[in-house]
Amino acid sequence: MKKWILSIIGIITLFTLRAESGYELWLRYAPITNPQLKTSYAQTINSVILPGKSPSSTIIRDELSRAMNGMLGKTPQFMNEPQNAGSLIIGTPTTSPLISTMNINTELQQAGQEGFVLISKKINGRQLTILAANHESPLLYGMFHLLRLLQTHQPITHLQIISTPRTKLRMLNHWDNMDRSVERGYAGFSIWNWHTLPGYIDQRYIDYARACASIGINGTVLNNVNANATILTKEYLIKVKALADAFRPYGIKVFLTARFSAPIEIGKLKTADPLDPQVQQWWKDKIKEVYSFIPDFGGFLIKANSEGQPGPQDYKRSHADGANMFADALAPHKGVVIWRAFVYSHENPDDRHKQAYTDFVPLDGKFRNNVLVQVKNGAIDFMPREPFHPLFGAMPKTPLMMEFQVTQEYLGQATNLAYLAPLFKEVLDGDTYYKGKGSYVSTIIDGSADQHNLTGMAGVANIGTDINWCGHNFAQANWYALGRLAWDHTLSSEQIAREWLGMTFTNDPNFLKPAQDLMMRSRDVVVQFSNPLGLHHIMGTGHHYGPAPWVSNLSRPEWNPVYYHKADSTGIGFNRTSTGSNALSQYYPGARKLWEDLNNCEEKNLLWFHHVPWNHIMKSGRTLWNELCFQYYTGAEQVKDMQKSWEQLAAFVDKERFNDVKQRLQLQYEEAIWWRNACLLYFQTFSKQPIPSSYEQPDKTLDYYKSLRFPFAPGN
Amino acid sequence: MKKWILSIIGIITLFTLRAESGYELWLRYAPITNPQLKTSYAQTINSVILPGKSPSSTIIRDELSRAMNGMLGKTPQFMNEPQNAGSLIIGTPTTSPLISTMNINTELQQAGQEGFVLISKKINGRQLTILAANHESPLLYGMFHLLRLLQTHQPITHLQIISTPRTKLRMLNHWDNMDRSVERGYAGFSIWNWHTLPGYIDQRYIDYARACASIGINGTVLNNVNANATILTKEYLIKVKALADAFRPYGIKVFLTARFSAPIEIGKLKTADPLDPQVQQWWKDKIKEVYSFIPDFGGFLIKANSEGQPGPQDYKRSHADGANMFADALAPHKGVVIWRAFVYSHENPDDRHKQAYTDFVPLDGKFRNNVLVQVKNGAIDFMPREPFHPLFGAMPKTPLMMEFQVTQEYLGQATNLAYLAPLFKEVLDGDTYYKGKGSYVSTIIDGSADQHNLTGMAGVANIGTDINWCGHNFAQANWYALGRLAWDHTLSSEQIAREWLGMTFTNDPNFLKPAQDLMMRSRDVVVQFSNPLGLHHIMGTGHHYGPAPWVSNLSRPEWNPVYYHKADSTGIGFNRTSTGSNALSQYYPGARKLWEDLNNCEEKNLLWFHHVPWNHIMKSGRTLWNELCFQYYTGAEQVKDMQKSWEQLAAFVDKERFNDVKQRLQLQYEEAIWWRNACLLYFQTFSKQPIPSSYEQPDKTLDYYKSLRFPFAPGN
């Protein structure tokens, strides 16, 4: 027996050595070593009663086997009847005769079309766990919920859970190009291998669907919003169909982006005018073709008249004209149009901050009812910190869908540890005052403010071909958080972090607490060393890697960092008050109040809304210049502190992932120093004030920082 | 205890489920289940005596622990003295006092600088296994050799192995671009993430080095022969250094490609003339800089005046002038120049087949002694089947290095199963008759024909970011075979296949035999359904994916398939006899004899050398046209047969890799049909003869095949 054990330990060691590439994400199903917990779980789910042979049932059966095997070292028995020991009964009232006898009609009604019921019952002395829903997809969500309880070592004997998603479309937007490059991708290349589709279904597609389903994501836009019409040709629709077929059993619908000028490019028409009957017919035919391949195709995500993309305004038509053309063609198939509000024009001299509002508010009420307008969380562009978009609360007749960026374009890309749930929550918890105090952005997004049924939240994906999917192991948490918040935006960032950490690393409290702290402060740290006090969009040109606040020579004024920070001899910041661009006027007075008075403005957004004199006294008592120095220096120091925290967690993490994070934290520290020095040296040319001598002075010149070039930076 | 075991079985199952992504390559170290074998191994290597703390020693210790853990379920004890049970004693005479007492001086002398000694001895009743070498790197090779014996279930109690490599430079050439695209890469993108280097050392770099070292590869050219001078800037040399540092302990030297015009592009000179003193000085300085970062830098691989690349001929200098400039600058640092002979000019109307020979033979004797000329295995370009290059045996004063293509540019890319060892061996075993019968190509390559010490064999790598490294799981065998043959070209294809299969899948004889058969015929099958009877270069334009024999409109004549097959109403094939281009005259008469007579020419190369009438009677008794039909149809049928063989191996292979291969075989079958139909329909327009009615007739038209476009085909 001793040999056995030795050999076993060998295998376990080997397992640890090899398996922790990060590929498994939060679905590692690590062995549960606490004997009491293990016994309790094993007894409670000794058998599973799950009728049916639908693809979803098969998936549930496979996932439960894999998970229980991993966590408990045994596969539950799949049976037709509950045993004496605990049973898990899964099904819908129509697929499972047992479920229909469980007397849970009220609960099922509450769960609705997309929710699930997960409750414990004792019947005839038998411990039953019931997982029920009105349709098959929510059963998957319920199963993953139950597994999450096990994975995070929660009790499962007295469950009383009815869970329904707070948004209807919970989506990832992939900015993946057809050549497999990924715009703003920092984790390798596109996981969609168009060349080997449709014949080759990569295991990765399946594991992607598993991961998405496990957090409730039910839609995916496969291709970049800067679209290529080729995706709509028959050759490629056949490939898209193969992915849709693979994702369907996981409850995930496929969406595509539509290039507005496709009728010209692949349809050989002379125009793409949305009011042209030929154009309308072309799209009707094309959409019919799409549905012939993919009967449950989700619809189109469209970026039009934005950053050079074609759109209805090319024909003097409105965004509503454009969106409605698609909406009419999609409606017979129950497809939706997701129309992006991310528009600004170099011909419009007005503050870029204001232009989406100006363009879209007049269109409220003019969109068909299968149109959602997808609004980025802020009015500029996914900045490290950004006030919520003024469009939230300003288009009551139109369902507004949230667009978050999961990929860290402006938050350190793949090298920085930045947990984004606090960023997402900060926006969702923002009070628009649209219907008075308490009109949170979340109430616009979940439809409750205006009784919209069609609702949604999307995240620009951070997924690529890197073995660990996301480049940085901690970036996986942002994919996870997006899904969890799309399901339930009332979850706290802390809880999401805890769940993710427990499943991804370990539930050991000596790990959980400090690791959670590390995550919780991480996004603020990035803000602090790169864009503190409301600074924004001062990143490197094109690739957005590192600082370049000095850039002023790009063809469009609003592409230049100097447009945003407006540093001069008197001060720094963008005056968006009534004496400036008055972008503030687009917010409701209650919301505006937080920001409009220079002396009362929350300091984290100060330079977003005000041009502030260098010697302005901050709440700290420091002058603005000194505060800026303080922020940059403290931010960089914080990264060093994060490194120390991580070092102390070495014992809890496998060597491979530990080293991954350790190396990236070191890169982050070097980048923080770079941000700090480059920005302060540059802003100093305006403030004409010294960096306080108590700080270590920059060891390189501004010219050095200006000379840096990154011709092969990723994601560009 | 029962629970323990259950839980263990769970872990084992989980391990199997997860670990077989293919990432582990042939270093899986699967548990050995035969109890006798296991006991014997465990007893023979009960302890390891390995002194020293050098990086190589650490690697040996780690790898042995991992391997023994995996195979035997126990880590050997690392001790200072042999025990009663069997010990493995590792070291060099200088690092290990024990080794110096082992009385193996003769063996060590035989092993030389790069070989190792692996012998069993009984001393004082103790079973000792001695792994010794004169330097540290070869110890690694010996360790991997020993592990291979275990992995393939060979006895290890009576070892008498002295192994020395037959070529000195055993290299991979990566055609990786700085933007991470890979020219002719079909397994994703470049594994070198230049953006996160030097700070981030991906575990993948280490595992790459492990895999290379395990098969004796000791050099790697990191970047594409179509070179970008930016790699030679300081910023990038720092990144190259980080890789060199990571590879050094594995005995792998880093090489780079040098863009001939770099002095202009990054040096701001007006010329790159190799005889210009400023240019010479620039390269001297640059090379000095390279060595300041990488003291053991290997040297440069250079593609010059080839396919549009700059080179010495731009300045009316010869290839020798160009190579010698680099050689002089590299010599003080012990670096070498690997100068490619792959040249042909569109200004030269002569048969492309002849041009490299014409250019290079006159230069024999004019190269410095640290220059190798790297010659592709054939005179055209890595065709599915190609007669050996006439340069072999034609430049006795110059070390000729072999360039094989491991990546399957012309052999079905990532979708086809084509085991290339038979292709490599066919070339190496080719008889040049340079010094009479028996003057095999291998004797040129290993230096024995002309007593060259500087020798080498390179393979264009098939490695990318795909989790399994090579796209097709069986493509891993080609990486493996390249390394094994570079070490010892006398190994048979069968043995290499067996080794690889045993380590990569299982040693079960019921698997090994049919799987080996599958591999052994696989390359011939690809030849048969795509380029039978000596046809060549009739692939799709640019990407080389699929058939396009009809293409005739490309700017350079020798880029067009019609240039190569020359089909017309009278027949098909390229007349390279004395009545044609007379490329045959470049071969020695003995070699030429195999091919020069239309009626005696080996049929597998018939159309390579002859324009053959459609009604020419072949050895089969069929006319050429009917034989062509027979070959194409039989080739496609063979793929179906391979599919059946694979299906029968399902029980021996994990689900994930089984499905990977299964899906790709299906794609290969569809591609075979495509090749067959497209080529026969096209050639039929010349032969004017029917496809014999006994065959299933093509169901698509020639126009259909001509209309196919692959705008996003990989590797282009």
Side-chain angles (χ1 to χ4, degrees):
Chain A
M1 210 57 192
K2 207 172 156 199
K3 267 196 190 159
W4 242 103
I5 291 177
L6 269 178
S7 135
I8 284 143
I9 290 171
I11 289 165
I12 294 172
T13 313
L14 185 68
F15 171 74
T16 310
L17 272 170
R18 293 194 181 176
E20 301 293 345
S21 64
Y23 182 83
E24 287 77 15
L25 296 163
W26 49 88
L27 300 176
R28 288 166 60 248
Y29 304 127
I32 289 166
T33 48
N34 175 327
Q36 275 172 296
L37 207 54
K38 198 166 156 183
T39 309
S40 157
Y41 290 159
Q43 284 173 351
T44 310
I45 313 179
N46 188 56
S47 65
V48 177
I49 293 94
L50 166 59
K53 290 189 174 175
S54 71
S56 290
S57 301
T58 308
I59 286 168
I60 291 176
R61 227 172 265 122
D62 287 353
E63 193 75 26
L64 277 175
S65 299
R66 175 201 290 238
M68 302 300 263
N69 237 331
M71 292 189 282
L72 309 182
K74 66 176 267 224
T75 312
Q77 293 178 276
F78 291 91
M79 322 189 83
N80 294 322
E81 299 253 334
Q83 301 171 293
N84 284 332
S87 289
L88 170 62
I89 300 169
I90 307 179
T92 70
T94 49
T95 61
S96 164
L98 250 174
I99 287 289
S100 57
T101 67
M102 287 289 151
N103 213 355
I104 51 167
N105 286 350
T106 322
E107 288 89 341
L108 277 171
Q109 210 160 5
Q110 255 182 281
Q113 298 305 301
E114 302 211 50
F116 61 84
V117 173
L118 182 60
I119 51 182
S120 311
K121 277 205 181 187
K122 273 229 155 111
I123 294 182
N124 300 336
R126 288 173 178 157
Q127 169 78 34
L128 302 182
T129 306
I130 301 163
L131 169 53
N134 294 302
H135 298 284
E136 285 213 313
S137 295
L139 290 180
L140 266 177
Y141 303 138
M143 175 199 65
F144 279 114
H145 190 107
L146 176 62
L147 290 178
R148 187 186 304 128
L149 296 176
L150 273 70
Q151 288 173 280
T152 54
H153 300 189
Q154 306 300 307
I156 60 163
T157 48
H158 295 81
L159 301 175
Q160 283 299 330
I161 297 166
I162 301 171
S163 182
T164 58
R166 286 180 191 266
T167 58
K168 191 165 174 179
L169 303 177
R170 303 175 298 278
M171 300 182 63
L172 289 181
N173 293 358
H174 291 267
W175 287 359
D176 291 19
N177 297 315
M178 301 184 72
D179 63 2
R180 299 190 70 185
S181 65
V182 179
E183 189 168 329
R184 310 314 172 188
Y186 312 104
F189 294 80
S190 173
I191 59 172
W192 319 132
N193 186 342
W194 294 110
H195 185 64
T196 52
L197 281 168
Y200 186 79
I201 300 299
D202 195 324
Q203 179 62 32
R204 192 145 202 166
Y205 305 152
I206 307 298
D207 291 328
Y208 166 84
R210 285 177 55 234
C212 283
S214 78
I215 50 176
I217 288 172
N218 66 355
T220 179
V221 184
L222 298 175
N223 58 329
N224 193 353
V225 286
N226 292 319
N228 185 324
T230 308
I231 195 81
L232 298 175
T233 60
K234 186 183 167 194
E235 288 76 11
Y236 276 84
L237 289 176
I238 290 169
K239 295 168 188 278
V240 173
K241 170 188 162 49
L243 287 176
D245 290 345
F247 297 161
R248 186 172 297 110
Y250 294 90
I252 297 167
K253 280 189 185 178
V254 159
F255 293 68
L256 293 173
T257 60
R259 187 160 158 90
F260 200 84
S261 51
I264 301 171
E265 289 153 3
I266 59 169
K268 300 190 177 161
L269 299 188
K270 293 246 156 61
T271 174
D273 181 350
L275 299 194
D276 182 298
Q278 268 196 304
V279 172
Q280 293 172 349
Q281 191 59 45
W282 187 87
W283 279 113
K284 273 185 191 152
D285 294 343
K286 178 50 73 182
I287 285 165
K288 203 172 156 195
E289 187 190 1
V290 172
Y291 279 90
S292 76
F293 291 114
I294 309 155
D296 58 351
F297 179 68
F300 287 128
L301 169 65
I302 298 167
K303 175 177 181 176
N305 293 122
S306 166
E307 299 184 318
Q309 292 296 308
Q313 293 176 341
D314 302 350
Y315 306 95
K316 316 260 180 241
R317 314 298 183 191
S318 74
H319 282 287
D321 294 330
N324 292 341
M325 171 187 65
F326 288 99
D328 289 341
L330 284 160
H333 311 279
K334 303 198 196 310
V336 301
V337 179
I338 304 170
W339 193 269
R340 288 176 97 231
F342 179 64
V343 297
Y344 59 99
S345 162
H346 64 292
E347 289 155 12
N348 185 346
D350 203 8
D351 181 3
R352 167 174 166 184
H353 198 294
K354 296 166 69 182
Q355 297 186 31
Y357 183 101
T358 309
D359 272 20
F360 275 82
V361 168
L363 299 176
D364 191 31
K366 297 198 172 149
F367 291 101
R368 300 282 189 270
N369 62 13
N370 58 336
V371 176
L372 298 104
V373 170
Q374 182 165 298
V375 183
K376 288 190 182 184
N377 57 271
I380 297 296
D381 191 10
F382 298 137
M383 291 297 108
R385 167 163 281 123
E386 185 161 0
F388 63 79
H389 203 300
L391 271 175
F392 296 121
M395 295 183 69
K397 294 176 189 155
T398 311
L400 298 189
M401 185 160 167
M402 175 64 80
E403 180 172 325
F404 284 128
Q405 194 178 40
V406 182
T407 188
Q408 293 167 234
E409 176 177 1
Y410 298 105
L411 284 111
Q413 305 185 353
T415 40
N416 286 197
L417 197 169
Y419 173 51
L420 299 183
L423 186 161
F424 303 157
K425 290 285 289 184
E426 193 173 281
V427 174
L428 291 165
D429 294 346
D431 194 344
T432 67
Y433 282 83
Y434 148 55
K435 291 182 166 181
K437 193 164 165 51
S439 302
Y440 304 112
V441 171
S442 59
T443 66
I444 318 293
I445 295 307
D446 69 15
S448 59
D450 298 298
Q451 285 74 54
H452 288 299
N453 279 325
L454 191 54
T455 58
M457 190 185 295
V460 180
N462 64 348
I463 296 164
T465 50
D466 277 5
I467 294 183
N468 74 5
W469 300 84
C470 299
H472 202 305
N473 266 297
F474 273 82
Q476 298 178 352
N478 297 330
W479 175 8
Y480 183 81
L482 187 279
R484 294 291 284 142
L485 287 172
W487 185 277
D488 184 0
H489 57 69
T490 70
L491 291 170
S492 72
S493 300
E494 289 84 353
Q495 175 172 345
I496 296 170
R498 234 170 11 245
E499 287 176 6
W500 178 80
L501 284 166
M503 296 189 287
T504 306
F505 293 104
T506 166
N507 291 288
D508 189 318
N510 294 318
F511 169 81
L512 273 189
K513 178 69 178 58
Q516 184 188 314
D517 288 349
L518 188 67
M519 288 173 76
M520 284 307 297
R521 63 181 166 140
S522 61
R523 177 264 189 148
D524 276 335
V525 170
V526 173
V527 171
Q528 202 172 22
F529 72 66
S530 69
N531 288 257
L533 300 176
L535 284 173
H536 51 290
H537 223 313
I538 56 175
M539 295 78 178
T541 299
H543 49 62
H544 298 156
Y545 175 63
W550 45 78
V551 170
S552 62
N553 60 350
L554 304 179
S555 62
R556 292 174 60 160
E558 76 284 5
W559 284 354
N560 289 293
V562 298
Y563 174 92
Y564 297 97
H565 64 68
K566 299 206 187 299
D568 58 23
S569 62
T570 66
I572 182 172
F574 198 131
N575 182 357
R576 291 190 166 111
T577 68
S578 56
T579 63
S581 79
N582 208 13
L584 268 169
S585 67
Q586 294 181 339
Y587 290 96
Y588 289 92
R592 198 191 297 163
K593 229 167 143 182
L594 206 56
W595 303 312
E596 67 191 342
D597 177 359
L598 166 60
N599 293 304
N600 271 324
C601 178
E602 41 171 24
E603 290 191 347
K604 63 183 181 183
N605 285 314
L606 183 65
L607 305 182
W608 192 283
F609 290 114
H610 297 276
H611 190 73
V612 184
W614 292 113
N615 289 323
H616 173 81
I617 301 299
M618 304 289 288
K619 287 182 188 131
S620 62
R622 297 182 198 96
T623 64
L624 171 63
W625 168 251
N626 283 341
E627 182 69 22
L628 205 62
C629 293
F630 173 80
Q631 293 292 336
Y632 273 112
Y633 273 86
T634 309
E637 273 314 292
Q638 289 278 318
V639 181
K640 191 166 250 177
D641 204 56
M642 288 168 69
Q643 290 183 283
K644 281 183 202 146
S645 301
W646 185 247
E647 286 294 338
Q648 282 164 9
L649 299 177
F652 302 99
V653 182
D654 55 287
K655 200 173 127 196
E656 217 169 282
R657 290 188 297 168
F658 180 79
N659 279 338
D660 171 75
V661 174
K662 179 184 161 135
Q663 290 188 82
R664 291 185 198 265
L665 278 171
Q666 175 60 24
L667 291 175
Q668 182 171 357
Y669 179 64
E670 290 161 19
E671 288 170 12
I673 300 288
W674 171 28
W675 268 102
R676 179 192 81 188
N677 291 356
C679 289
L680 288 178
L681 287 171
Y682 169 69
F683 291 133
Q684 191 177 40
T685 65
F686 301 101
S687 80
K688 311 282 185 198
Q689 297 187 38
I691 294 170
S693 60
S694 55
Y695 297 127
E696 186 191 38
Q697 300 293 303
D699 60 348
K700 299 213 170 64
T701 64
L702 179 56
D703 281 344
Y704 166 78
Y705 291 114
K706 284 185 174 178
S707 76
L708 296 177
R709 292 291 177 278
F710 305 93
F712 301 104
N716 196 1
Chain B
M1 209 57 194
K2 205 173 159 198
K3 269 194 191 162
W4 242 101
I5 292 177
L6 269 178
S7 135
I8 285 144
I9 291 170
I11 289 165
I12 294 172
T13 313
L14 185 67
F15 171 74
T16 310
L17 272 170
R18 293 192 182 178
E20 301 292 347
S21 63
Y23 182 84
E24 287 77 14
L25 296 162
W26 49 87
L27 301 176
R28 287 166 60 247
Y29 304 128
I32 289 166
T33 49
N34 177 327
Q36 275 172 296
L37 207 54
K38 199 167 154 182
T39 308
S40 157
Y41 290 159
Q43 283 172 352
T44 311
I45 313 179
N46 188 56
S47 65
V48 177
I49 292 94
L50 166 61
K53 292 187 173 177
S54 71
S56 290
S57 302
T58 309
I59 286 168
I60 292 176
R61 227 172 264 121
D62 287 353
E63 193 76 25
L64 277 175
S65 299
R66 175 201 289 237
M68 302 299 264
N69 237 332
M71 291 189 284
L72 308 181
K74 66 175 268 224
T75 311
Q77 292 177 276
F78 290 91
M79 322 189 83
N80 295 323
E81 298 252 334
Q83 300 171 294
N84 285 330
S87 289
L88 170 63
I89 300 170
I90 307 179
T92 70
T94 48
T95 61
S96 164
L98 250 173
I99 288 288
S100 57
T101 67
M102 287 291 150
N103 213 354
I104 50 168
N105 286 350
T106 323
E107 288 89 342
L108 278 171
Q109 210 160 3
Q110 252 181 285
Q113 297 305 300
E114 302 210 52
F116 60 85
V117 173
L118 183 60
I119 51 181
S120 311
K121 278 206 177 184
K122 272 228 159 113
I123 296 182
N124 300 334
R126 288 173 178 157
Q127 170 78 33
L128 301 183
T129 306
I130 300 163
L131 169 54
N134 293 303
H135 298 283
E136 285 213 310
S137 294
L139 290 180
L140 266 176
Y141 303 139
M143 174 199 65
F144 279 115
H145 189 107
L146 176 62
L147 290 178
R148 187 186 305 126
L149 296 175
L150 273 70
Q151 287 173 282
T152 54
H153 299 190
Q154 305 300 308
I156 60 164
T157 47
H158 295 82
L159 301 175
Q160 282 300 331
I161 298 167
I162 299 171
S163 182
T164 58
R166 288 182 190 263
T167 58
K168 191 165 174 178
L169 304 178
R170 304 175 298 277
M171 301 183 63
L172 288 181
N173 294 357
H174 290 267
W175 287 359
D176 291 20
N177 298 314
M178 301 185 72
D179 63 2
R180 299 189 71 185
S181 63
V182 179
E183 188 167 328
R184 312 313 173 190
Y186 311 104
F189 293 80
S190 173
I191 59 171
W192 320 131
N193 186 340
W194 294 109
H195 185 64
T196 53
L197 282 168
Y200 186 80
I201 301 298
D202 195 325
Q203 179 62 32
R204 194 147 202 165
Y205 306 151
I206 307 298
D207 291 329
Y208 166 84
R210 284 176 55 232
C212 284
S214 79
I215 51 177
I217 286 171
N218 66 354
T220 179
V221 185
L222 299 175
N223 58 329
N224 194 352
V225 287
N226 292 319
N228 185 323
T230 307
I231 196 81
L232 298 175
T233 60
K234 186 183 167 195
E235 288 76 12
Y236 277 84
L237 289 176
I238 291 169
K239 296 168 188 274
V240 173
K241 169 189 161 48
L243 287 176
D245 290 344
F247 298 161
R248 187 171 297 110
Y250 294 91
I252 296 166
K253 278 189 186 179
V254 159
F255 293 67
L256 293 174
T257 60
R259 186 159 160 91
F260 199 83
S261 50
I264 300 170
E265 289 153 5
I266 59 167
K268 300 191 178 162
L269 299 188
K270 294 248 156 60
T271 175
D273 182 349
L275 300 194
D276 182 297
Q278 269 196 301
V279 172
Q280 293 172 348
Q281 191 58 46
W282 188 87
W283 279 112
K284 273 185 191 152
D285 294 343
K286 178 51 73 183
I287 285 166
K288 202 172 156 197
E289 187 189 0
V290 172
Y291 279 90
S292 75
F293 291 114
I294 308 155
D296 57 352
F297 179 70
F300 286 128
L301 169 65
I302 299 167
K303 174 177 182 177
N305 292 122
S306 167
E307 299 184 317
Q309 291 297 308
Q313 293 176 341
D314 302 348
Y315 306 94
K316 316 260 179 241
R317 314 299 184 189
S318 75
H319 283 288
D321 293 330
N324 291 342
M325 171 187 64
F326 288 100
D328 289 340
L330 284 160
H333 310 281
K334 304 196 196 309
V336 302
V337 179
I338 304 170
W339 193 270
R340 288 175 98 231
F342 179 64
V343 297
Y344 59 98
S345 162
H346 63 293
E347 287 153 14
N348 186 346
D350 202 8
D351 181 2
R352 168 174 165 183
H353 198 293
K354 296 167 68 181
Q355 297 186 32
Y357 183 101
T358 310
D359 272 19
F360 274 82
V361 168
L363 300 176
D364 191 31
K366 299 199 172 148
F367 291 100
R368 299 283 188 271
N369 63 11
N370 59 336
V371 176
L372 299 104
V373 170
Q374 183 166 296
V375 183
K376 288 190 182 184
N377 57 271
I380 296 296
D381 191 9
F382 299 137
M383 290 297 108
R385 167 164 279 124
E386 184 161 1
F388 63 80
H389 203 299
L391 271 175
F392 296 120
M395 294 182 71
K397 295 177 190 154
T398 311
L400 298 189
M401 185 159 167
M402 177 63 81
E403 180 173 323
F404 284 128
Q405 193 178 42
V406 182
T407 189
Q408 293 166 236
E409 176 178 359
Y410 298 104
L411 285 112
Q413 305 187 354
T415 40
N416 286 196
L417 197 169
Y419 173 51
L420 298 183
L423 186 162
F424 303 157
K425 290 285 289 183
E426 193 173 281
V427 174
L428 291 164
D429 294 345
D431 194 343
T432 67
Y433 282 83
Y434 149 55
K435 293 182 166 180
K437 193 164 165 51
S439 302
Y440 304 112
V441 171
S442 59
T443 66
I444 317 292
I445 295 306
D446 68 16
S448 59
D450 298 296
Q451 285 74 52
H452 288 297
N453 280 323
L454 190 54
T455 59
M457 189 186 294
V460 180
N462 63 349
I463 295 164
T465 50
D466 277 5
I467 293 182
N468 75 5
W469 301 84
C470 301
H472 201 305
N473 265 297
F474 273 82
Q476 297 177 353
N478 297 329
W479 176 7
Y480 183 82
L482 187 279
R484 294 291 285 142
L485 287 172
W487 185 276
D488 183 0
H489 57 69
T490 70
L491 291 170
S492 72
S493 300
E494 288 84 353
Q495 174 171 346
I496 296 171
R498 231 168 16 241
E499 287 176 6
W500 178 80
L501 284 166
M503 296 190 285
T504 306
F505 293 105
T506 167
N507 290 289
D508 189 318
N510 294 317
F511 169 82
L512 274 188
K513 178 68 176 61
Q516 184 187 315
D517 288 349
L518 189 67
M519 287 173 75
M520 284 307 296
R521 64 183 165 138
S522 60
R523 177 263 190 149
D524 275 335
V525 169
V526 173
V527 171
Q528 201 172 22
F529 72 67
S530 68
N531 288 258
L533 301 177
L535 284 174
H536 53 288
H537 224 312
I538 55 176
M539 295 77 179
T541 299
H543 48 63
H544 299 156
Y545 175 62
W550 47 78
V551 170
S552 62
N553 60 351
L554 303 180
S555 62
R556 292 174 61 161
E558 75 284 5
W559 283 355
N560 288 292
V562 297
Y563 175 93
Y564 297 97
H565 65 67
K566 301 206 187 299
D568 58 23
S569 62
T570 66
I572 181 172
F574 198 131
N575 182 357
R576 292 190 166 111
T577 68
S578 57
T579 62
S581 78
N582 207 13
L584 268 170
S585 67
Q586 295 180 339
Y587 289 95
Y588 289 92
R592 196 192 299 164
K593 226 168 148 184
L594 207 55
W595 304 312
E596 65 191 346
D597 177 0
L598 165 60
N599 294 305
N600 270 323
C601 179
E602 42 171 19
E603 288 192 349
K604 61 184 181 181
N605 285 315
L606 182 66
L607 305 182
W608 192 283
F609 290 113
H610 297 277
H611 191 74
V612 184
W614 292 113
N615 288 323
H616 173 81
I617 300 299
M618 305 287 288
K619 287 182 188 130
S620 62
R622 296 183 198 98
T623 64
L624 171 64
W625 168 252
N626 282 342
E627 181 70 21
L628 205 60
C629 292
F630 173 79
Q631 293 292 336
Y632 273 112
Y633 273 86
T634 308
E637 272 313 293
Q638 288 278 319
V639 181
K640 189 165 250 178
D641 203 56
M642 288 168 70
Q643 290 183 284
K644 281 184 203 148
S645 301
W646 185 246
E647 286 294 338
Q648 281 165 9
L649 299 176
F652 301 99
V653 182
D654 55 287
K655 201 173 127 194
E656 218 169 281
R657 290 188 298 168
F658 180 79
N659 279 337
D660 171 77
V661 174
K662 179 184 162 136
Q663 290 188 80
R664 291 184 198 266
L665 278 171
Q666 174 61 24
L667 291 176
Q668 180 171 357
Y669 179 63
E670 290 161 18
E671 288 171 11
I673 299 289
W674 171 29
W675 268 101
R676 179 193 81 189
N677 290 357
C679 289
L680 287 178
L681 287 172
Y682 169 70
F683 291 133
Q684 190 178 39
T685 64
F686 301 101
S687 80
K688 310 280 185 200
Q689 298 186 37
I691 295 169
S693 61
S694 55
Y695 297 128
E696 185 191 39
Q697 300 293 303
D699 61 348
K700 300 215 170 59
T701 64
L702 178 56
D703 281 343
Y704 166 79
Y705 291 114
K706 284 184 174 180
S707 76
L708 296 176
R709 292 292 177 276
F710 304 94
F712 301 104
N716 196 2

